[in-house]
Every structure is written in C-alpha cells, then in structure tokens.
Amino acid sequence: MPYVTLSDQIKKLHNPQRSDAFVKQLRIAVREGDLDAIDAPGRFDLPKKFARRGGNETYTRTVKDMIIDATPAFESWFENVNRELSPARTGGRIKVSLESVEAGLIDFKTLASETRKKMGASFSKGQALGQSRAGKKAGPRKTTAKRK
C-alpha cells in the first residue's frame, strides 16, 4: 500500500495560505475514522505566513508530520478538500465601471433594479420626513428679557 506524508500533501495544495485549515480538517477526518493516518516523529513548517497584530512582521507555525494511508478514498477526500480551500476566483469583488459593464462581468439589469429600489427608498424616506415635519406647528418662542 502506498503511504504519503502530510508535509508532501500540503505541497500539493492549490492555496498554501489555507494549509492550517487543511491540517485541521485532516486531523478531524482521522479522529472520526474517515481516514487512516499515524503521527510521524518529525515536525515541519506550514507554508502559510501569519501576521502579528500591530506590526508588519510575519511568522510560520510548525505542526507534527503524519503518515497517511493513500487509499482511493483519501485521494477523493483530498481533492474535495483542496477544491473547498481554493479560492473561487481571485481579485475579490468586481468594481462597477463602464468597462466591466461592457465586458459583461456585471449584470446591468440587476444593478439597475437595485439602484431603483435604493433611490425609491431614499425618496419615500424624505417624503415621510417632510410630512412629519409639516404636521407640527411652530409654537411661540420663549424669549428671555434682560433685567435692568
């Protein structure tokens, strides 16, 4: 039977910044009996870079290495977890611009509908505020008289 080490499997991850989450999920799967693995004597550094709060310095963490039974069940588990830990897309949210609308990256009709709802809510809020103020009458103002 083929065996692989945890340190070798982490090198195969698509997103090394999620290596700590992978180790956590692997340990859960071993603990629950879904996968077979044993602790190896050594430790290794995770490829993830951790940032310290309030500073610009980064550091890495070390974890215990494991020897994993590389069965077809493990291979399919690894592929699923690797896909889950990989980012769906890079770059974050697409910004609204003429170029992104023309390229079809943004659904113009959906955004137009959202804008219409937002403008309608703002308008009705202003109308309600104006109606509530119009119903109130200004009472006589109190003035303080100077005493001599």
Side-chain angles (χ1 to χ4, degrees):
M1 282 192 251
Y3 298 100
V4 294
T5 61
L6 175 59
S7 54
D8 289 337
Q9 283 302 117
I10 284 187
K11 292 175 187 172
K12 295 178 183 178
L13 288 175
H14 297 304
N15 187 1
Q17 277 297 106
R18 299 298 310 272
S19 58
D20 59 330
F22 174 75
V23 170
K24 192 176 202 177
Q25 287 188 10
L26 177 71
R27 290 191 182 279
I28 290 170
V30 171
R31 184 175 57 239
E32 293 177 351
D34 298 336
L35 302 174
D36 293 328
I38 59 173
D39 284 329
R43 296 180 74 84
F44 69 97
D45 288 337
L46 290 176
K48 180 174 180 172
K49 302 291 184 199
F50 295 90
R52 296 203 191 275
R53 290 186 190 174
N56 292 336
E57 61 185 78
T58 60
Y59 65 97
T60 60
R61 290 186 183 159
T62 61
V63 294
K64 278 186 180 179
D65 206 353
M66 297 180 83
I67 299 172
I68 306 162
D69 188 9
T71 61
F74 169 73
E75 294 299 328
S76 64
W77 178 88
F78 177 76
E79 289 302 319
N80 288 336
V81 170
N82 197 10
R83 193 176 322 109
E84 288 174 11
L85 295 177
S86 297
R89 61 188 166 121
T90 57
R93 191 167 180 231
I94 300 171
K95 294 185 180 177
V96 178
S97 67
L98 179 62
E99 292 81 18
S100 60
V101 172
E102 287 177 345
L105 300 174
I106 297 175
D107 186 11
F108 182 79
K109 294 291 184 186
T110 305
L111 286 178
S113 172
E114 290 174 8
T115 303
R116 192 174 300 111
K117 286 180 190 175
K118 189 170 137 183
M119 291 174 77
S122 178
F123 179 77
S124 61
K125 181 179 174 184
Q127 292 295 314
L129 181 62
Q131 293 295 328
S132 68
R133 288 185 178 168
K136 295 180 183 178
K137 290 186 176 180
R141 295 187 110 168
K142 292 184 180 180
T143 59
T144 56
K146 286 187 174 180
R147 294 185 185 185
K148 292 186 179 181

